[in-house]
Structure formats: C-alpha cells, structure tokens
Coordinates of all heavy atoms in Angstrom, one line a residue:
M258 N -17.8 -11.8 14.8 CA -17.8 -10.5 15.6 C -16.6 -10.5 16.4 O -15.9 -9.4 16.6 CB -19.1 -10.4 16.4 CG -19.3 -9.0 17.0 SD -19.4 -7.7 15.7 CE -19.1 -6.3 16.8
K259 N -16.3 -11.6 17.1 CA -15.1 -11.7 18.0 C -13.8 -11.3 17.3 O -13.0 -10.6 17.9 CB -15.0 -13.1 18.7 CG -14.8 -13.0 20.2 CD -14.7 -14.4 20.7 CE -14.5 -14.5 22.2 NZ -14.4 -15.9 22.7
K260 N -13.7 -11.7 16.1 CA -12.5 -11.5 15.2 C -12.3 -9.9 15.1 O -11.2 -9.5 15.2 CB -12.8 -12.1 13.8 CG -11.8 -13.2 13.5 CD -12.1 -13.7 12.1 CE -11.2 -14.9 11.8 NZ -11.5 -15.5 10.5
Y261 N -13.4 -9.2 14.9 CA -13.3 -7.7 14.8 C -12.7 -7.1 16.0 O -11.9 -6.1 15.9 CB -14.6 -7.2 14.3 CG -15.0 -7.5 12.9 CD1 -16.0 -8.5 12.7 CD2 -14.3 -7.0 11.8 CE1 -16.4 -8.8 11.4 CE2 -14.6 -7.4 10.5 CZ -15.6 -8.4 10.3 OH -15.9 -8.7 9.0
I262 N -13.2 -7.6 17.2 CA -12.7 -7.0 18.4 C -11.3 -7.2 18.6 O -10.5 -6.3 19.0 CB -13.5 -7.6 19.6 CG1 -15.0 -7.2 19.5 CG2 -12.9 -7.2 20.9 CD1 -16.0 -8.0 20.3
V263 N -10.7 -8.4 18.2 CA -9.3 -8.7 18.3 C -8.6 -7.8 17.4 O -7.5 -7.2 17.8 CB -9.0 -10.1 17.9 CG1 -7.6 -10.4 17.8 CG2 -9.6 -11.1 18.9
I264 N -9.0 -7.5 16.2 CA -8.4 -6.6 15.2 C -8.3 -5.2 15.7 O -7.3 -4.6 15.6 CB -9.1 -6.7 13.8 CG1 -8.9 -8.1 13.2 CG2 -8.6 -5.6 12.9 CD1 -9.8 -8.5 12.0
I265 N -9.4 -4.8 16.3 CA -9.5 -3.4 16.8 C -8.4 -3.3 18.0 O -7.7 -2.3 18.0 CB -10.9 -3.0 17.3 CG1 -11.8 -2.8 16.1 CG2 -10.9 -1.8 18.2 CD1 -13.3 -2.9 16.4
L266 N -8.3 -4.3 18.8 CA -7.5 -4.2 19.9 C -6.0 -4.1 19.4 O -5.2 -3.4 20.0 CB -7.7 -5.5 20.8 CG -8.8 -5.4 21.8 CD1 -9.0 -6.7 22.5 CD2 -8.6 -4.3 22.9
F267 N -5.7 -4.8 18.4 CA -4.4 -4.8 17.8 C -4.1 -3.4 17.1 O -3.0 -2.9 17.4 CB -4.3 -5.9 16.7 CG -3.7 -7.2 17.2 CD1 -4.5 -8.3 17.3 CD2 -2.4 -7.3 17.6 CE1 -4.1 -9.4 17.7 CE2 -1.9 -8.5 18.1 CZ -2.7 -9.6 18.2
L268 N -5.1 -2.9 16.6 CA -4.8 -1.5 16.1 C -4.6 -0.5 17.2 O -3.8 0.4 17.0 CB -6.2 -1.1 15.2 CG -6.3 -1.7 13.9 CD1 -7.6 -1.4 13.3 CD2 -5.2 -1.5 12.9
V269 N -5.4 -0.6 18.2 CA -5.3 0.3 19.3 C -3.9 0.2 19.9 O -3.1 1.1 20.3 CB -6.4 0.1 20.4 CG1 -6.0 0.9 21.6 CG2 -7.7 0.6 19.8
F270 N -3.4 -1.1 20.1 CA -2.1 -1.4 20.7 C -1.1 -0.9 19.8 O 0.0 -0.3 20.2 CB -1.9 -2.9 20.8 CG -0.6 -3.3 21.5 CD1 -0.4 -3.1 22.9 CD2 0.4 -3.8 20.7 CE1 0.8 -3.5 23.4 CE2 1.6 -4.1 21.3 CZ 1.8 -4.0 22.7
G271 N -1.2 -1.1 18.5 CA -0.2 -0.6 17.5 C -0.1 1.0 17.6 O 1.0 1.5 17.5
F272 N -1.2 1.7 17.8 CA -1.2 3.1 17.9 C -0.4 3.5 19.1 O 0.5 4.5 19.0 CB -2.6 3.6 18.0 CG -2.6 5.1 18.3 CD1 -2.5 6.0 17.3 CD2 -3.0 5.6 19.5 CE1 -2.4 7.4 17.5 CE2 -3.1 6.9 19.8 CZ -2.9 7.8 18.8
F273 N -0.6 2.9 20.3 CA 0.1 3.3 21.5 C 1.6 2.9 21.3 O 2.5 3.7 21.9 CB -0.5 2.6 22.7 CG -1.7 3.3 23.2 CD1 -3.0 2.8 23.1 CD2 -1.6 4.6 23.7 CE1 -4.1 3.4 23.6 CE2 -2.7 5.3 24.1 CZ -4.0 4.7 24.1
S274 N 2.0 1.8 20.8 CA 3.4 1.5 20.6 C 4.0 2.4 19.7 O 5.2 2.7 19.8 CB 3.6 0.0 20.1 OG 2.9 -0.2 18.9
N275 N 3.4 3.0 18.7 CA 3.9 4.0 17.8 C 4.2 5.3 18.5 O 5.2 5.9 18.3 CB 2.9 4.2 16.6 CG 3.1 3.2 15.5 OD1 4.1 2.5 15.3 ND2 2.1 3.2 14.7
T276 N 3.3 5.7 19.4 CA 3.5 6.9 20.1 C 4.7 6.8 21.2 O 5.5 7.7 21.4 CB 2.3 7.4 20.9 OG1 1.8 6.3 21.6 CG2 1.3 7.9 20.0
S277 N 5.0 5.5 21.7 CA 6.0 5.4 22.6 C 7.4 5.4 21.7 O 8.4 5.8 22.3 CB 5.9 4.0 23.4 OG 6.0 2.9 22.5
C278 N 7.4 4.9 20.5 CA 8.4 4.9 19.6 C 8.9 6.5 19.4 O 10.1 6.8 19.3 CB 8.2 4.4 18.3 SG 8.3 2.6 18.2
F279 N 7.9 7.3 19.3 CA 8.3 8.7 19.1 C 9.0 9.3 20.3 O 9.9 10.1 20.0 CB 6.9 9.5 19.1 CG 7.0 10.9 18.8 CD1 7.5 11.5 17.5 CD2 6.8 11.9 19.8 CE1 7.7 12.8 17.3 CE2 7.0 13.2 19.7 CZ 7.5 13.7 18.3
A280 N 8.8 8.8 21.5 CA 9.5 9.2 22.7 C 11.0 8.9 22.6 O 11.9 9.3 23.4 CB 8.9 8.8 23.9
E281 N 11.3 7.7 21.8 CA 12.6 7.2 21.7 C 13.5 7.8 20.5 O 14.3 7.1 20.0 CB 12.5 5.7 21.5 CG 12.3 5.0 22.9 CD 12.4 3.5 22.7 OE1 11.4 2.9 22.3 OE2 13.4 3.0 23.0
M282 N 13.2 9.0 20.1 CA 14.0 9.6 19.0 C 15.3 10.0 19.6 O 15.4 10.5 20.7 CB 13.2 10.8 18.5 CG 11.9 10.5 17.8 SD 12.1 9.4 16.4 CE 12.4 10.5 15.1
V283 N 16.3 9.8 18.8 CA 17.7 10.2 19.2 C 18.4 11.1 18.1 O 17.9 11.1 16.9 CB 18.6 9.0 19.5 CG1 18.1 8.3 20.8 CG2 18.6 8.0 18.3
M284 N 19.4 11.7 18.4 CA 20.3 12.5 17.4 C 21.4 11.5 16.9 O 22.2 11.2 17.8 CB 20.7 13.7 17.9 CG 19.6 14.8 18.2 SD 18.7 15.2 16.8 CE 19.8 16.3 15.9
Y285 N 21.4 11.1 15.7 CA 22.3 10.1 15.3 C 23.3 10.8 14.3 O 23.1 11.5 13.5 CB 21.6 9.0 14.6 CG 22.4 8.0 13.9 CD1 23.1 7.0 14.6 CD2 22.6 7.9 12.5 CE1 23.9 6.1 14.1 CE2 23.4 6.9 11.9 CZ 24.1 6.0 12.7 OH 24.9 5.0 12.1
N286 N 24.6 10.6 14.8 CA 25.7 11.3 13.9 C 26.2 10.3 12.9 O 26.6 9.1 13.2 CB 26.9 11.5 14.9 CG 28.0 12.3 14.2 OD1 28.3 12.1 13.0 ND2 28.5 13.3 14.9
I287 N 25.9 10.6 11.7 CA 26.1 9.7 10.4 C 27.7 9.6 10.2 O 28.0 8.7 9.5 CB 25.4 10.2 9.2 CG1 25.7 11.7 8.9 CG2 23.9 10.0 9.3 CD1 25.3 12.2 7.5
K288 N 28.4 10.5 10.7 CA 29.9 10.3 10.5 C 30.5 9.5 11.6 O 31.4 8.6 11.3 CB 30.6 11.7 10.6 CG 30.7 12.3 9.2 CD 31.8 13.3 9.2 CE 32.2 13.6 7.7 NZ 33.1 14.7 7.6
T289 N 30.2 9.6 12.9 CA 30.9 8.8 14.0 C 30.1 7.7 14.4 O 30.5 6.8 15.2 CB 31.1 9.8 15.2 OG1 29.9 10.2 15.7 CG2 32.0 10.9 14.8
N290 N 28.8 7.5 13.9 CA 27.8 6.5 14.3 C 27.4 6.5 15.7 O 26.8 5.6 16.2 CB 28.4 5.1 13.9 CG 28.3 4.7 12.5 OD1 27.8 5.5 11.7 ND2 28.9 3.6 12.1
K291 N 27.6 7.6 16.4 CA 27.2 7.8 17.7 C 25.9 8.4 17.8 O 25.5 9.2 17.0 CB 28.1 8.7 18.6 CG 29.4 7.9 19.1 CD 30.2 8.7 20.0 CE 31.5 7.9 20.3 NZ 32.5 8.7 21.0
Y292 N 25.1 8.0 18.7 CA 23.6 8.5 18.9 C 23.6 9.1 20.2 O 24.1 8.7 21.2 CB 22.6 7.5 18.5 CG 22.5 6.3 19.3 CD1 21.6 6.3 20.6 CD2 23.0 5.1 18.9 CE1 21.6 5.3 21.4 CE2 22.9 4.0 19.7 CZ 22.1 4.0 20.8 OH 21.9 2.9 21.7
H293 N 22.8 10.2 20.3 CA 22.7 11.0 21.6 C 21.2 11.2 21.9 O 20.3 11.2 21.1 CB 23.2 12.4 21.4 CG 24.7 12.4 21.1 ND1 25.7 12.5 22.0 CD2 25.3 12.4 19.9 CE1 26.9 12.6 21.4 NE2 26.7 12.5 20.1
H294 N 21.0 11.3 23.3 CA 19.7 11.8 23.6 C 19.4 13.1 23.1 O 20.5 14.0 22.9 CB 19.7 11.8 25.3 CG 18.3 12.1 25.8 ND1 18.0 13.3 26.1 CD2 17.3 11.3 26.2 CE1 16.7 13.4 26.6 NE2 16.2 12.1 26.6
I295 N 18.2 13.5 22.7 CA 17.9 14.8 22.0 C 18.4 16.0 23.0 O 18.8 17.0 22.4 CB 16.4 14.9 21.8 CG1 16.2 14.0 20.5 CG2 16.0 16.3 21.4 CD1 14.9 13.7 20.2
E296 N 18.3 15.9 24.2 CA 18.8 17.0 25.2 C 20.2 17.0 25.5 O 20.7 17.8 26.2 CB 17.9 16.9 26.5 CG 16.4 17.1 26.3 CD 16.1 18.5 25.7 OE1 16.7 19.5 26.3 OE2 15.4 18.6 24.8
C297 N 21.0 16.0 24.9 CA 22.4 16.0 25.3 C 23.1 17.2 24.7 O 22.8 17.6 23.6 CB 23.0 14.7 24.6 SG 24.8 14.5 24.8
K298 N 24.1 17.7 25.4 CA 24.9 18.9 25.0 C 25.6 18.6 23.7 O 25.8 19.5 22.9 CB 25.8 19.3 26.1 CG 26.9 18.4 26.6 CD 27.8 19.0 27.6 CE 28.9 18.0 27.9 NZ 30.0 18.6 28.8
W299 N 26.0 17.4 23.5 CA 26.7 17.0 22.3 C 25.8 17.0 21.2 O 26.2 17.3 20.0 CB 27.6 15.7 22.5 CG 28.6 15.9 23.5 CD1 28.5 15.4 24.8 CD2 29.8 16.7 23.5 NE1 29.8 15.8 25.5 CE2 30.4 16.5 24.7 CE3 30.4 17.5 22.5 CZ2 31.7 17.2 24.9 CZ3 31.6 18.1 22.7 CH2 32.2 18.0 23.9
A300 N 24.6 16.6 21.4 CA 23.6 16.5 20.3 C 23.3 17.9 19.8 O 23.0 18.2 18.6 CB 22.3 15.8 20.8
K301 N 23.3 18.9 20.7 CA 22.9 20.2 20.4 C 24.1 20.9 19.6 O 23.8 21.8 18.8 CB 22.5 21.0 21.6 CG 21.2 20.7 22.1 CD 20.9 21.4 23.5 CE 19.4 21.1 23.8 NZ 19.1 21.6 25.2
K302 N 25.4 20.4 19.9 CA 26.5 20.9 19.2 C 26.7 20.3 17.8 O 27.2 20.9 16.9 CB 27.8 20.7 20.0 CG 28.0 21.6 21.2 CD 29.3 21.4 21.8 CE 29.5 22.3 23.0 NZ 30.8 22.0 23.7
C303 N 26.1 19.1 17.7 CA 26.2 18.4 16.4 C 25.0 18.8 15.5 O 23.9 18.4 15.6 CB 26.1 16.9 16.7 SG 26.2 15.9 15.2
T304 N 25.2 19.8 14.5 CA 24.3 20.2 13.8 C 24.4 19.9 12.2 O 23.5 19.8 11.5 CB 24.2 21.8 13.8 OG1 25.6 22.3 13.5 CG2 23.7 22.3 15.2
V305 N 25.6 19.5 11.9 CA 26.0 19.2 10.5 C 25.8 17.8 10.2 O 25.0 17.4 9.2 CB 27.4 19.6 10.2 CG1 27.6 19.3 8.7 CG2 27.7 21.0 10.4
N306 N 26.2 16.8 11.0 CA 26.3 15.4 10.7 C 25.1 14.6 11.4 O 25.0 13.4 11.2 CB 27.6 14.8 11.0 CG 28.7 15.3 10.2 OD1 28.5 15.6 9.0 ND2 29.8 15.6 10.8
C307 N 24.4 15.3 12.2 CA 23.4 14.7 13.1 C 22.0 14.7 12.4 O 21.6 15.7 11.8 CB 23.3 15.1 14.4 SG 24.6 14.5 15.5
I308 N 21.3 13.6 12.4 CA 19.9 13.4 12.0 C 19.1 12.9 13.1 O 19.6 12.1 13.9 CB 19.8 12.5 10.7 CG1 20.5 11.1 10.9 CG2 20.3 13.2 9.5 CD1 20.2 10.1 9.9
K309 N 17.9 13.3 13.1 CA 16.9 12.8 14.1 C 16.2 11.6 13.7 O 15.5 11.6 12.8 CB 15.9 13.9 14.6 CG 15.1 13.8 15.7 CD 14.2 14.9 15.9 CE 13.3 14.7 17.1 NZ 12.3 15.8 17.2
I310 N 16.6 10.5 14.3 CA 15.9 9.2 13.9 C 15.5 8.4 15.2 O 15.8 8.8 16.3 CB 16.8 8.3 13.1 CG1 18.1 8.0 13.7 CG2 17.0 9.0 11.7 CD1 19.0 6.9 13.0
D311 N 14.7 7.3 14.9 CA 14.3 6.4 16.0 C 15.5 5.8 16.6 O 16.4 5.3 15.8 CB 13.3 5.4 15.4 CG 12.5 4.6 16.3 OD1 13.1 3.7 16.9 OD2 11.4 5.0 16.6
K312 N 15.4 5.5 17.9 CA 16.6 4.8 18.5 C 16.8 3.5 18.0 O 18.0 3.1 17.8 CB 16.3 4.8 20.1 CG 17.6 4.4 20.9 CD 17.1 4.4 22.4 CE 18.3 4.0 23.3 NZ 18.0 4.2 24.7
K313 N 15.7 2.8 17.7 CA 15.9 1.4 17.1 C 16.5 1.5 15.8 O 17.4 0.6 15.4 CB 14.5 0.8 17.0 CG 13.9 0.3 18.2 CD 12.4 -0.1 18.0 CE 11.6 -0.2 19.4 NZ 10.2 -0.3 19.1
E314 N 16.2 2.5 14.9 CA 16.8 2.7 13.7 C 18.3 3.1 13.8 O 19.2 2.5 13.1 CB 16.1 3.9 13.0 CG 16.7 4.1 11.6 CD 16.5 3.0 10.6 OE1 15.6 2.2 10.7 OE2 17.3 2.9 9.6
A315 N 18.7 3.8 14.9 CA 20.2 4.1 15.2 C 20.9 2.9 15.5 O 22.0 2.7 15.0 CB 20.2 5.2 16.3
I316 N 20.4 2.0 16.3 CA 21.0 0.7 16.7 C 21.1 -0.2 15.4 O 22.2 -0.7 15.2 CB 20.2 0.0 17.8 CG1 20.3 0.9 19.1 CG2 20.7 -1.4 18.0 CD1 19.2 0.6 20.1
K317 N 20.0 -0.2 14.6 CA 20.0 -1.0 13.3 C 21.2 -0.6 12.4 O 21.7 -1.4 11.7 CB 18.7 -0.9 12.7 CG 18.2 -2.2 12.1 CD 17.1 -2.2 11.2 CE 15.9 -1.3 11.4 NZ 14.9 -1.5 10.5
R318 N 21.5 0.7 12.5 CA 22.5 1.2 11.6 C 23.9 1.1 12.1 O 24.9 1.6 11.7 CB 22.3 2.8 11.4 CG 21.1 3.1 10.4 CD 21.2 4.5 10.2 NE 19.9 4.9 9.5 CZ 19.8 6.0 8.7 NH1 20.9 6.8 8.5 NH2 18.8 6.3 8.1
G319 N 24.1 0.3 13.3 CA 25.3 0.2 14.0 C 25.7 1.3 14.9 O 26.9 1.5 15.1
G320 N 24.8 2.0 15.4 CA 25.0 3.2 16.2 C 25.6 2.8 17.6 O 25.3 1.8 18.1
I321 N 26.5 3.7 18.1 CA 27.1 3.5 19.3 C 26.4 4.5 20.3 O 26.5 5.7 20.0 CB 28.5 3.7 19.3 CG1 29.2 2.7 18.1 CG2 29.3 3.4 20.7 CD1 30.4 3.4 17.4
P322 N 26.0 4.1 21.5 CA 25.4 5.1 22.5 C 26.5 6.1 23.0 O 27.6 5.6 23.3 CB 24.8 4.3 23.5 CG 25.5 3.0 23.5 CD 25.9 2.7 22.0
C323 N 26.2 7.4 23.1 CA 27.1 8.4 23.6 C 27.5 8.0 25.1 O 26.6 7.6 25.8 CB 26.4 9.7 23.5 SG 27.1 11.1 24.5
K324 N 28.7 8.3 25.4 CA 29.2 8.0 26.7 C 28.7 9.1 27.8 O 28.7 8.7 29.0 CB 30.8 8.0 26.7 CG 31.4 6.7 26.2 CD 32.8 6.7 26.2 CE 33.4 5.5 25.5 NZ 34.8 5.6 25.3
V325 N 28.3 10.1 27.4 CA 27.9 11.2 28.2 C 26.4 11.0 28.5 O 26.0 11.1 29.7 CB 28.0 12.6 27.6 CG1 27.7 13.8 28.5 CG2 29.5 12.8 27.3
C326 N 25.6 10.8 27.5 CA 24.2 10.8 27.8 C 23.6 9.3 27.8 O 22.5 9.0 28.2 CB 23.4 11.6 26.9 SG 23.6 11.1 25.1
G327 N 24.5 8.4 27.3 CA 24.0 7.0 27.2 C 23.0 6.7 26.0 O 22.5 5.7 25.9
G328 N 23.0 7.7 25.1 CA 22.1 7.5 23.9 C 20.6 7.9 24.2 O 19.7 7.3 24.2
Ligands
ZN527 ZN1 25.3 12.5 24.1

C-alpha cells in the first residue's frame, strides 16, 4: 500500500513540474539561434523564423538568450 502512495506522489509532482515548464515557453529563432521571452518586443517582431518552444529545448538546441530580454 505504501508503494502506491509513493507512486501517486510522484505523479502529482510530475503534473506540477509540467505546468511550471509551460510557464518557461520562449520564442526561439531557428535562423539566429536566439531565444526571447514571449513578451519581448523582438519576439513579437520575429514572425517568420520564430517558433514557440520550451526554454530547456531552446538551450538544448544551442540557443543564445536575447540581450534585451535575457531569454
Ligand atoms: Zn528578446
């Protein structure tokens, strides 16, 4: 029975960590490799080459944080 409680706790924790990941979405420029905060003025101007991805994913792809917004 104790085992099940541990599994449930892990599932709940996983759910919360997933929702916090959602808050870390950035606009990633596939041409320049720069990533921006979603509210950044440059992110709003970048409509052709930018994709909305997880910040961790942007870093994994070799993304560079924007100098204006810090990513
Ligand atoms: Zn920016």
Side-chain angles (χ1 to χ4, degrees):
M258 190 60 198
K259 225 177 180 180
K260 249 185 185 174
Y261 290 108
I262 294 165
V263 172
I264 290 163
I265 289 162
L266 282 174
F267 269 110
L268 288 173
V269 170
F270 182 75
F272 174 75
F273 280 113
S274 58
N275 277 343
T276 49
S277 68
C278 279
F279 181 74
E281 279 187 280
M282 295 299 274
V283 293
M284 290 305 280
Y285 178 69
N286 189 316
I287 53 166
K288 265 205 164 167
T289 63
N290 282 355
K291 277 185 184 171
Y292 63 87
H293 301 269
H294 186 271
I295 284 164
E296 292 300 312
C297 176
K298 62 173 180 177
W299 296 107
K301 284 176 178 172
K302 279 184 185 181
C303 179
T304 51
V305 181
N306 299 316
C307 281
I308 51 165
K309 194 179 176 184
I310 58 168
D311 194 280
K312 192 175 182 176
K313 284 173 196 167
E314 181 63 28
I316 294 163
K317 219 190 325 183
R318 290 187 186 205
I321 308 149
C323 164
K324 280 177 186 171
V325 178
C326 63

